[in-house]
Amino acid sequence: VIVPDAKNDSEDETDEQQSNDEEISNQESEASDEPERKSTFVQRLVRGVFGCVAAVACGVLYAAYLSAYHDRKFWFSARQELEREITFQAGSGMYYYYYKKMLAAPSFQRGFYELTADNRTVSGQTINAVERLSLYPELLTSLTYKLLECEPIYFYIGTVFGLQAVYVTALFISSWVLSRTWVAGMLAVAWYVINRPDTTRVDDTVPLRENWALPYFSCQVAALTGYLCNNISSATETLCYLMMSAVTFIFLLVWEHSHYVIFIQALCLFLLDSFDLVPPRKVADMHKLYLTALLSAYWCQFQNPALLSSPLLSLLFGSVLARYFQVKIALILLQLLTLESTDYRLFAIEMFSFFLSAKHEKGDFVTNFLLCQDGFQRPGQDLFLRLTQASVLPFYFLVLAVCLLSTLEIIYKRLRGQPMKDQLKFEDGRIGEHPEVTYHVFHTLLFGGLALLFDGTKYLWTPYVCMFTAFGVCSPKLWMTLFKWVNLKSLDPVVLSLTLSTSVPTIICFSLWREYCPRVMSELVDLQEFYDPDTVELINWIKTQAPIAAVFAGSPQLLGTVKLCSGSIVTSLPLYSDISLLRRTEDPFQVYAMRSPEEVYKILTSQKTNYVIIEEAICNELSLYRGCRIKDLLDISNGHVVYDKGEMYSFSKHRRFCSEIKMNYSPYTNYFTRVFWNRSYHVYKVNSVISFQY
């Protein structure tokens, strides 16, 4: 009886000894791994700190460069206040006018109320300027300005340039997150600055809404890139989600076209979800984010009906229904039906808020006027030539081809039922299985398609071309994916990928520095003369000779400058997203048509016009694109066009008004009296009492 007990005791002692040996070995391995873990942590910390410093430095240097370039281009610091305000081109100065109005108000509350019930801007109308013009940037800037002491105009443009610093910093971070190296971020910023004419319009039109909004969209894309990454901590995921929530709301609030841009992004996420390239939970959370931000912006924009009729809202509801019925193809059919309900070109116009609620006839002035804007023309070959000369376009096609083919390969495997891997190894060479990379593939394809149709959309595409290309050439995973397909045998693909991901960006950076650095620096040295004495003379006459309550008619761009510099009431504003204001624009343009003085007089008096400004540049406009001049559009709209053998001829029993009124003879002098003129402008007073002279 005693022997078995002794045997059991010996076995227990053996097991205990083995467990003690295992604990000792584990402790020894942990002790040996601890220095390695500390070393890895220190390396990551150093790389992270250095990358953050580099990102912020790039942003600050770019903002300083913009400020210096703007000052040299317009001689900004050496000009008077009126001449500075005239530098806000393309009618963008009207936004700065409301900023000045908020500063002049006795209190913020009083100024806000005056903007929401503004009867001193458009003749015969009381408008909510905050809603119509998306003036929240001006509201916040005017509120912040009172905390500092500096010139108002410098604070305003400084705020915009500061946002551009945020813009390039976010591009830096996006490329860094995708490639896991901050070198990609620096290359992305370098390409962005070199291709500045095609990446931003902040040089000439500082107050435009897109210059306020796109930096927030860039931050949102950077946060989304981190949010879509696999194997991120819950804290990082929560931080990215909160950041996306905040900047998406701001983006929707400050730009009236923003919900169309978010619609394209939501479409990219829908494609990811359709092919099971991203966890469904993350897509559902993004839908909640979009819906919350959209409804919040709808409330803050005084129940703006454009947000409720946005295609983004339709896509969100369609996605919910598709998920509920587990038939995702239903949403695709729904979108196809939506696209077929209107002409594709008009749908693309809707994507940028120039959507017209109903189909228009061929001779409609507003439709043709919008389609003739530079932003709706096809991009010229010079765009692709500039991108090629900067070396970004060839590498872009290489990176896009590799990522797209890898994405298609992963989609094919998903359709065959192969599950998605949570743990991806570098040696696998499957860059298309990273959700953040696949998102940017769809992102650049959709926005690139729009950029091929409309030149104005290139500002949504080219910045991310720079970022996406920089990520690709600096990413060892992309080179590894390429070499996996090539099936190298003589060289180690891992070593070759790591080598190329370092050497190729180095060569590109050196070539860009050698060729473009002198050009960029020369822009800060060369003085560029911008002086418009005729406009200055016109504004001075209006401020000193015209009555305070006078109403002026003219082109929208000029009226924006008149409103900014003189504060006079105008008949229309350069706001192309408001169909009612566009309709009002057609009437003052009749001074360039073949109309009788009686007809023009009735049209102008219907808008309570006191003075009409005729511009020589429009009256005698010469253009290679016949049919897009203001005169041509009016002749088409008024039925004064005859086509013969493919040629267009204008014909009417009346001669062109803007040319005939300068002759200063009856019956034109019966209705109008010239009160000011110079080389560029002729100002005529609309007579309140008709005097018949012969």
Side-chain angles (χ1 to χ4, degrees):
V1 177
I2 298 176
V3 174
D5 291 341
K7 185 177 181 181
N8 291 337
D9 292 340
S10 62
E11 290 179 355
D12 292 341
E13 291 178 358
T14 304
D15 294 340
E16 184 177 356
Q17 183 66 28
Q18 290 178 353
S19 62
N20 291 335
D21 293 340
E22 291 177 357
E23 290 180 1
I24 293 173
S25 62
N26 290 335
Q27 291 176 359
E28 291 177 352
S29 62
E30 290 178 359
S32 61
D33 292 342
E34 186 174 355
E36 183 178 354
R37 291 178 182 176
K38 290 183 179 180
S39 176
T40 303
F41 174 76
V42 171
Q43 291 177 2
R44 290 181 178 179
L45 181 62
V46 171
R47 287 199 300 266
V49 170
F50 191 85
C52 291
V53 171
V56 174
C58 287
V60 172
L61 290 175
Y62 178 64
Y65 167 77
L66 281 180
S67 179
Y69 175 75
H70 183 267
D71 186 73
R72 302 294 283 182
K73 181 176 182 179
F74 297 108
W75 296 9
F76 206 74
S77 58
R79 295 192 180 277
Q80 300 296 323
E81 185 70 14
L82 174 60
E83 296 172 345
R84 291 175 180 175
E85 293 177 351
I86 291 177
T87 62
F88 295 146
Q89 302 174 22
S92 61
M94 62 178 180
Y95 298 106
Y96 183 73
Y97 162 76
Y98 287 105
Y99 167 72
K100 291 199 307 180
K101 189 173 182 179
M102 284 297 300
L103 294 182
S107 65
F108 180 83
Q109 293 78 5
R110 180 63 182 177
F112 181 78
Y113 171 77
E114 291 179 354
L115 263 58
T116 56
D118 183 13
N119 58 1
R120 294 285 304 168
T121 296
V122 180
S123 62
Q125 288 190 3
T126 299
I127 64 173
N128 186 341
V130 178
E131 176 191 355
R132 284 203 179 186
L133 281 76
S134 301
L135 293 179
Y136 279 100
E138 281 67 30
L139 293 176
L140 296 177
T141 307
S142 63
L143 185 63
T144 309
Y145 169 78
K146 296 182 179 181
L147 304 177
L148 302 172
E149 292 184 3
C150 62
E151 291 190 52
I153 194 167
Y154 277 107
F155 182 78
Y156 186 85
I157 64 174
T159 303
V160 178
F161 292 157
L163 285 175
Q164 305 312 303
V166 175
Y167 196 167
V168 298
T169 301
L171 291 176
F172 185 109
I173 294 174
S174 295
S175 191
W176 182 13
V177 171
L178 287 171
S179 63
R180 299 297 192 270
T181 173
W182 53 264
V183 177
M186 299 191 70
L187 182 57
V189 173
W191 267 329
Y192 178 89
V193 175
I194 290 171
N195 296 281
R196 196 177 69 258
D198 301 312
T199 56
T200 180
R201 291 197 294 175
V202 74
D203 292 350
D204 300 324
T205 53
V206 174
L208 280 186
R209 300 299 85 182
E210 65 187 59
N211 296 329
W212 292 90
L214 291 182
Y216 293 106
F217 180 64
S218 182
C219 292
Q220 195 253 22
V221 171
L224 179 61
T225 303
Y227 180 75
L228 292 176
C229 290
N230 292 324
N231 302 322
I232 61 172
S233 64
S234 59
T236 304
E237 183 177 314
T238 303
L239 179 62
C240 292
Y241 189 81
L242 292 176
M243 182 177 179
M244 282 190 296
S245 302
V247 295
T248 302
F249 167 70
I250 298 174
F251 180 57
L252 290 171
L253 196 62
V254 300
W255 194 26
E256 64 270 21
H257 310 332
S258 56
H259 55 99
Y260 298 109
V261 180
I262 297 296
F263 166 71
I264 298 294
Q265 184 183 80
L267 198 57
C268 296
L269 293 176
F270 166 73
L271 293 174
L272 288 174
D273 187 34
S274 299
F275 298 113
D276 293 328
L277 299 176
V278 66
R281 173 187 61 83
K282 291 188 176 183
V283 177
D285 290 341
M286 288 301 301
H287 287 168
K288 296 175 184 177
L289 185 152
Y290 290 146
L291 185 60
T292 303
L294 193 66
L295 294 179
S296 300
Y298 169 77
W299 181 80
C300 291
Q301 290 185 355
F302 305 91
Q303 294 78 48
N304 186 357
L307 294 179
L308 291 185
S309 60
S310 169
L312 173 61
L313 194 60
S314 302
L315 179 63
L316 294 178
F317 285 133
S319 299
V320 172
L321 291 176
R323 183 175 295 280
Y324 178 78
F325 291 108
Q326 295 296 314
V327 184
K328 297 184 179 180
I329 195 64
L331 185 55
I332 300 178
L333 297 176
L334 176 63
Q335 297 303 320
L336 290 176
L337 292 175
T338 303
L339 290 177
E340 291 175 358
S341 65
T342 184
D343 179 79
Y344 179 77
R345 193 168 181 82
L346 285 180
F347 174 77
I349 293 175
E350 180 194 25
M351 298 301 296
F352 287 85
S353 174
F354 301 137
F355 177 71
L356 307 178
S357 58
K359 294 182 179 179
H360 299 286
E361 299 177 358
K362 183 178 179 180
D364 183 78
F365 174 82
V366 172
T367 304
N368 294 332
F369 177 70
L370 289 176
L371 296 178
C372 282
Q373 298 299 308
D374 292 338
F376 286 105
Q377 306 305 311
R378 291 183 180 274
Q381 296 182 354
D382 54 340
L383 166 64
F384 305 102
L385 180 61
R386 288 191 297 269
L387 293 177
T388 302
Q389 290 176 341
S391 73
V392 63
L393 199 60
F395 285 105
Y396 169 73
F397 285 135
L398 172 64
V399 174
L400 179 61
V402 174
C403 293
L404 180 59
L405 291 176
S406 180
T407 300
L408 294 176
E409 179 184 7
I410 300 303
I411 291 175
Y412 176 73
K413 293 180 179 180
R414 293 290 180 275
L415 295 177
R416 296 188 62 184
Q418 183 174 340
M420 180 174 59
K421 283 187 176 182
D422 293 332
Q423 299 290 339
L424 294 175
K425 296 181 180 180
F426 170 66
E427 295 80 4
D428 294 338
R430 302 170 66 175
I431 196 169
E433 199 157 358
H434 294 270
E436 68 276 15
V437 175
T438 309
Y439 162 76
H440 281 283
V441 170
F442 293 141
H443 179 110
T444 190
L445 285 176
L446 292 179
F447 282 108
L450 289 175
L452 291 177
L453 294 175
F454 305 105
D455 187 64
T457 61
K458 67 182 180 182
Y459 302 107
L460 295 169
W461 178 60
T462 48
Y464 296 95
V465 168
C466 299
M467 183 275 298
F468 186 72
T469 308
F471 135 73
V473 298
C474 296
S475 174
K477 297 178 182 178
L478 182 133
W479 296 106
M480 190 65 194
T481 302
L482 179 61
F483 295 140
K484 272 289 189 179
W485 294 338
V486 177
N487 194 16
L488 293 176
K489 295 182 179 179
S490 58
L491 296 174
D492 186 359
V494 175
V495 176
L496 188 58
S497 299
L498 294 173
T499 303
L500 289 179
S501 64
T502 304
S503 59
V504 172
T506 303
I507 296 173
I508 294 175
C509 289
F510 178 76
S511 62
L512 293 178
W513 174 80
R514 183 178 180 180
E515 182 175 358
Y516 288 96
C517 185
R519 299 186 189 181
V520 173
M521 297 307 296
S522 66
E523 293 178 347
L524 302 181
V525 176
D526 298 337
L527 281 173
Q528 304 181 38
E529 182 176 0
F530 177 85
Y531 187 56
D532 192 356
D534 293 341
T535 304
V536 173
E537 186 181 6
L538 171 66
I539 297 301
N540 283 328
W541 181 87
I542 293 175
K543 295 173 69 175
T544 57
Q545 302 297 325
I548 297 178
V551 177
F552 284 83
S555 66
Q557 289 79 10
L558 179 60
L559 291 182
T561 302
V562 170
K563 184 63 184 176
L564 165 63
C565 300
S566 68
S568 301
I569 303 174
V570 296
T571 57
S572 185
L573 292 173
L575 187 64
Y576 297 153
S577 59
D578 193 312
I579 190 67
S580 63
L581 288 178
L582 283 172
R583 291 297 180 195
R584 290 178 62 92
T585 299
E586 181 179 3
D587 291 340
F589 270 142
Q590 294 299 326
V591 298
Y592 304 104
M594 294 179 173
R595 305 290 289 266
S596 67
E598 294 86 356
E599 292 175 317
V600 175
Y601 180 81
K602 291 179 181 179
I603 291 173
L604 293 177
T605 53
S606 67
Q607 295 188 354
K608 302 179 180 180
T609 303
N610 301 119
Y611 296 91
V612 58
I613 306 174
I614 296 179
E615 301 175 53
E616 287 287 348
I618 299 179
C619 186
N620 302 316
E621 182 180 4
L622 298 176
S623 175
L624 297 176
Y625 303 101
R626 185 173 175 83
C628 268
R629 299 178 301 178
I630 295 297
K631 298 183 293 185
D632 300 333
L633 298 178
L634 291 168
D635 292 342
I636 295 173
S637 177
N638 296 333
H640 296 160
V641 170
V642 176
Y643 294 93
D644 183 24
K645 297 180 181 180
E647 295 291 332
M648 185 180 72
Y649 301 95
S650 298
F651 174 80
S652 175
K653 64 180 180 180
H654 302 289
R655 303 185 70 177
R656 199 161 300 279
F657 180 89
C658 65
S659 299
E660 292 300 303
I661 194 174
K662 299 173 189 175
M663 302 300 179
N664 207 30
Y665 62 79
S666 181
Y668 294 91
T669 55
N670 299 342
Y671 300 96
F672 304 95
T673 303
R674 187 168 65 179
V675 293
F676 172 84
W677 70 93
N678 57 25
R679 293 176 303 173
S680 302
Y681 305 105
H682 294 257
V683 181
Y684 292 88
K685 181 180 179 180
V686 181
N687 297 334
S688 57
V689 178
I690 302 175
S691 61
F692 293 95
Q693 303 175 10
Y694 299 94

